[in-house]
Amino acid sequence: MKRLLLTSLLVLAAGAQPALAEKADRDQPVNIEADRLTVDDRNKVHIFEGNVILTQGTLMIRGDKLVVTQDAAGFQNGVATAAGKGLATFRQRRDGTTEYVEGEAERIEYDSRSEKARLFNRAKVTSGGDQVSGHYIEYDAITENYLATNAPGSTPGTAPSRVRAVIQPKSDGGQ
């Protein structure tokens, strides 16, 4: 499943600073475990259901369902979801550190062509002690920019809630 969709999803180092995903992960094999797999080769759709666990190097994605589609050019899109009141999650070590980036949402979407990840509903991304949460978080892995809103396309100050960020002070090297 060449360079499986969600590899870059963990580039979601959205917090206060860009945090790049472990570069060596993209050269590792993708392993997916689930209770059930449905494959539609004609339409290039793979559906993994039931306690889905995707691992690739330090990357781990968990959800109740993972749907992977591939377009004619070989680009993949993936949607990880959770059942009931659960959340789909991801975790990946940042490149060159022992720190991890973690995220969760009811639905996590990744588009490998644009290299954008979108987290919907109860979205939260944590990197080190920094944390960003909102209804919707979008991360562009190419530009290393992110957007957090209370809903996609919403205007500031509208319901249901506001975006929240906690940014920890950074050490200045002991000075």
Side-chain angles (χ1 to χ4, degrees), residues 1-5 30 32 37 46 48 54 68 70 76:
M1 289 178 126
K2 87 199 221 200
R3 196 176 169 208
L4 188 72
L5 66 121
V30 174
I32 303 175
L37 166 62
H46 294 80
F48 300 88
L54 177 148
V68 179
Q70 183 173 311
Q76 296 172 333

Side-chain angles (χ1 to χ4, degrees), residues 73-149:
F75 290 101
Q76 296 172 333
N77 296 309
V79 179
T81 56
K85 296 199 182 280
L87 297 172
T89 65
F90 71 83
R91 182 176 200 253
Q92 185 173 35
R93 190 172 64 220
R94 292 181 54 203
D95 194 39
T97 73
T98 58
E99 216 173 84
Y100 280 79
V101 176
E102 298 178 298
E104 62 185 27
E106 291 177 18
R107 185 173 82 240
I108 301 173
E109 297 179 358
Y110 181 73
D111 179 344
S112 69
R113 180 182 298 266
S114 67
E115 295 192 39
K116 289 185 180 178
R118 295 171 182 89
L119 288 79
F120 295 86
N121 302 325
R122 297 187 290 150
K124 179 168 63 172
V125 175
T126 304
S127 178
D130 298 342
Q131 184 180 98
V132 175
S133 62
H135 182 76
Y136 174 77
I137 299 173
E138 178 178 292
Y139 182 77
D140 185 322
I142 297 170
T143 64
E144 296 183 354
N145 291 320
Y146 69 95
L147 166 73
T149 66

Side-chain angles (χ1 to χ4, degrees), residues 150-162:
N150 55 339
S154 67
T155 56
T158 61
S161 64
R162 296 169 47 92

